[in-house]
């Protein structure tokens, strides 16, 4: 991940987007412009932001996608991913689908067991 400062013309573009989509926050609109300017991925769980971003052609994913990507590229982080999912599952302020968390926990746990069996 990288932090970017937007030049004034991109800030204006974000404010224009806000006029077209008043339900989005100013920060949402800044995120859209940043992702567009840098051919980036927009990571959000916000339904409206996801919808607007997808409509304009941005790649949009949720936080559970990050878990999937980390799992597919670095098997040595699986225990950390399991711990993160367990924390999210028990945190009332985290609004992620419980079934999706459970599915990933089961998959990661099986992966660890299978890799232990091979060693």
């Amino acid at each position: 991940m990288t932090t970017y400062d937007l030049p004034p013309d991109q800030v204006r573009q974000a404010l224009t987007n806000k006029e077209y989509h008043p339900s989005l926050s100013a920060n949402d609109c800044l995120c859209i412009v940043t992702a567009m300017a840098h051919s980036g991925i927009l990571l959000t769980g916000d339904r409206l932001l996801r919808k607007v971003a997808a409509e304009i052609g941005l790649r949009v994913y949720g936080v559970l996608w990050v878990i999937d990507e980390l799992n597919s590229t670095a098997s040595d982080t699986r225990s950390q991913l399991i711990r993160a999912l367990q924390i999210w599952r028990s945190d009332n302020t985290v609004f992620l689908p419980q079934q999706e968390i459970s599915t990933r926990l089961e998959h990661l746990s099986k992966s660890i067991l299978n890799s232990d069996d091979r060693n």
Side-chain angles (χ1 to χ4, degrees):
M1 289 199 273
T2 307
T3 302
Y4 294 102
D5 289 324
L6 294 179
D9 62 315
Q10 290 176 346
V11 173
R12 276 190 295 281
Q13 183 181 358
L15 295 175
T16 300
N17 287 347
K18 175 83 174 118
E19 290 175 13
Y20 288 115
H21 303 285
S23 296
L24 291 177
S25 72
N27 284 336
D28 290 342
C29 294
L30 291 166
C31 288
I32 287 173
V33 170
T34 302
M36 289 171 51
H38 297 281
S39 301
I41 294 171
L42 188 60
L43 185 63
T44 183
D46 182 274
R47 186 174 295 136
L48 179 60
L49 178 56
R50 179 183 289 264
K51 179 180 180 272
V52 170
E55 285 174 357
I56 61 175
L58 286 173
R59 293 179 297 160
V60 185
Y61 299 101
V63 69
L64 293 174
W65 173 82
V66 175
I67 296 290
D68 297 340
E69 289 296 299
L70 289 170
N71 180 44
S72 70
T73 59
S75 62
D76 60 330
T77 63
R78 287 187 178 131
S79 61
Q80 292 173 313
L81 297 176
I82 287 171
R83 185 70 188 126
L85 288 167
Q86 290 169 333
I87 290 168
W88 290 342
R89 182 173 57 185
S90 64
D91 187 335
N92 293 334
T93 63
V94 173
F95 300 102
L96 293 170
Q98 291 297 311
Q99 183 56 47
E100 292 292 326
I101 290 175
S102 295
T103 299
R104 282 167 178 81
L105 280 168
E106 184 178 331
H107 176 73
L108 288 165
S109 296
K110 284 180 183 177
S111 295
I112 287 177
L113 287 175
N114 289 339
S115 67
D116 288 347
D117 288 345
R118 283 185 234 136
N119 293 333

